[in-house]
Amino acid sequence: MKEYTPVKEGKVREIYDLGNELVMVATDRISAFDVILKNKITKKGTVLTQMSKFWFDYTKDILPNHMISVDPEDMPEFFRGEDYCGNSMLVKKLTMLPIECIVRGYITGSGWASYKKNGTVCGIKLPEGLSECDKLPEPIYTPSTKAEIGDHDENISFEQSIDVLEKQFPGHGVEYAEKLRDCTIALYKKCADYALSRGIIIADTKFEFGLDEDGNVILGDEMLTPDSSRFWPLLGYEPGHGQPSFDKQFVRDWLKANPDSDYDLPQDVIDRTIEKYKEAYHLLTGEEL
């Protein structure tokens, strides 16, 4: 059996090069505040991969995506082992675009902090009188740069995103920037409406896109997972304060309340975190892992 080693390791994912294709493995690692925690969240990688698969299937009418298969039988034998079954996705190779495409449908987190200071989120002026966790009149697109591990992403304006893309793809900056913005908003709206019908509010999320060999913009990376999104339960939703969460905001909140933890989670926080991930998956898909 041929063995493979990752050609790239991110905070959570590992990427393996098969030549014409890639295998993306979502590990059980968890990161918060751009730091990889010491603990692993058992089966978290499986939730991320299977949830991405669900959303990729659901949105392929809006934009093609990089997913080929999550079936281990479609991958080399190496990826049929216990460490890789369920949390691995065979994908097309893309030239990734250097923008994180963030969309916010509700005002929370750093956006709420910014709004309280000057009435804006990432430079976008919002209506007066909003409360914490209020739904925005329309979702807003707030792109950022992609940071290396250990660095922080930097919020940029739409105009700055044009400059970033133009630098790497001369003559295509405006075209790609507009495509990313429009697809980000369209994907969010379709998925947020569906999630709401299943009892989950998607407060915000991020997407990543790349180019295929023909130069077409393709949706890549992960999609609408608890690692890339804020999921709130619709039941009990009430603006004016923070909301309970299905995602790793639970971990973030614990770390904020325990600044001397050295990013080491207690077992009960680990257990409750994976329960939240699995609950979100079940509500959205109607299936158990």
Side-chain angles (χ1 to χ4, degrees), residues 174-205:
V174 172
E175 172 196 350
Y176 288 162
E178 290 179 346
K179 180 80 170 180
L180 296 190
R181 178 196 62 198
D182 295 347
C183 287
T184 295
I185 295 293
L187 289 165
Y188 173 78
K189 283 185 172 181
K190 178 173 183 174
C191 296
D193 285 349
Y194 169 80
L196 206 60
S197 76
R198 305 288 300 184
I200 290 182
I201 293 169
I202 302 176
D204 53 41
T205 192

Side-chain angles (χ1 to χ4, degrees), residues 117-154:
K117 285 182 182 176
N118 55 28
T120 70
V121 173
C122 298
I124 299 171
K125 184 70 175 175
L126 295 179
E128 295 181 2
L130 293 177
S131 298
E132 183 178 5
C133 297
D134 260 338
K135 184 176 183 179
L136 299 175
E138 282 293 323
I140 58 173
Y141 175 61
T142 59
S144 77
T145 58
K146 290 183 183 178
E148 297 297 321
I149 294 178
D151 296 330
H152 291 279
D153 299 335
E154 179 187 349

Side-chain angles (χ1 to χ4, degrees), residues 17 21 23 56 74 76 91 97 99 103 173 179 197 203-204 207 209 212 224-225 246:
D17 194 334
E21 300 160 341
V23 172
F56 284 145
D74 294 330
V91 302
L97 298 172
I99 300 291
V103 56
K179 180 80 170 180
S197 76
D204 53 41
F207 302 115
F209 300 87
D212 67 11
L224 285 164
T225 70
F246 285 114

Side-chain angles (χ1 to χ4, degrees), residues 216-288:
N216 300 307
V217 174
I218 303 291
L219 181 60
D221 198 61
E222 64 179 321
M223 184 178 186
L224 285 164
T225 70
D227 269 20
S228 65
S229 320
R230 280 191 178 94
F231 292 165
W232 299 335
L234 176 61
L235 186 65
Y237 166 66
E238 181 185 59
H241 54 78
Q243 308 297 310
S245 174
F246 285 114
D247 53 58
K248 66 178 181 180
Q249 188 61 38
F250 179 73
V251 171
R252 293 191 194 101
D253 291 344
W254 186 89
L255 290 170
K256 281 182 182 178
N258 297 271
D260 298 327
S261 66
D262 194 27
Y263 292 92
D264 192 5
L265 301 175
Q267 189 61 44
D268 69 307
V269 173
I270 294 171
D271 293 342
R272 290 173 67 188
T273 299
I274 192 57
E275 285 172 11
K276 290 289 183 185
Y277 276 55
K278 288 180 176 179
E279 184 182 358
Y281 179 82
H282 175 66
L283 282 173
L284 289 169
T285 68
E287 299 175 0
E288 301 286 352

Side-chain angles (χ1 to χ4, degrees), residues 93 139 213 246 277 289:
K93 272 189 175 178
E213 57 188 9
F246 285 114
Y277 276 55
L289 283 171

Side-chain angles (χ1 to χ4, degrees), residues 27-28 41-48 82 85 274 278 289:
T27 72
D28 290 341
I41 310 294
T42 305
K43 287 297 180 185
K44 173 177 159 291
T46 299
V47 175
L48 299 184
E82 186 178 345
C85 282
I274 192 57
K278 288 180 176 179
L289 283 171

